[in-house]
Amino acid sequence: MNTFIRSKKEGKRWAGMGGARPFGRNGPRMELGGRREATVDGCGGVLEYTEPVVRIRYGRGVVKFSGERLRLHSLAAKSLILSGEIQKIEFLPPP
């Protein structure tokens, strides 16, 4: 059961989700298809694109994919599909 907690020190959070705030329907969203594919909706642009590293703006920060043979597909307005052998995903502060 999710319990909504409100306190001045901690602010709002969802206790049943380990403190993570759920995104609304228009917020960024990422879906992984195993280690071979990632679909990202709500991205703000590609910052770096090489075979071993892809960095994109995501929400208020940056998400960095590391792996082998990484390729971008279906690059549409605020949406992309990344394929290859994804070995690592990092969430970084904004540049």
Side-chain angles (χ1 to χ4, degrees), residues 21-30 40-43 58 78:
R21 287 186 179 182
F23 287 109
R25 290 183 181 177
N26 296 328
R29 182 170 184 251
M30 184 184 319
V40 183
D41 294 321
C43 65
Y58 184 71
K78 299 197 177 229

Side-chain angles (χ1 to χ4, degrees), residues 26-48:
N26 296 328
R29 182 170 184 251
M30 184 184 319
E31 182 176 322
L32 299 175
R35 299 187 85 170
R36 295 280 182 188
E37 185 175 273
T39 302
V40 183
D41 294 321
C43 65
V46 178
L47 300 172
E48 179 181 1

Side-chain angles (χ1 to χ4, degrees), residues 71-85:
R71 295 178 48 189
L72 292 177
H73 304 276
S74 182
L75 187 58
K78 299 197 177 229
S79 177
L80 61 84
I81 297 174
L82 174 77
S83 68
E85 188 177 323

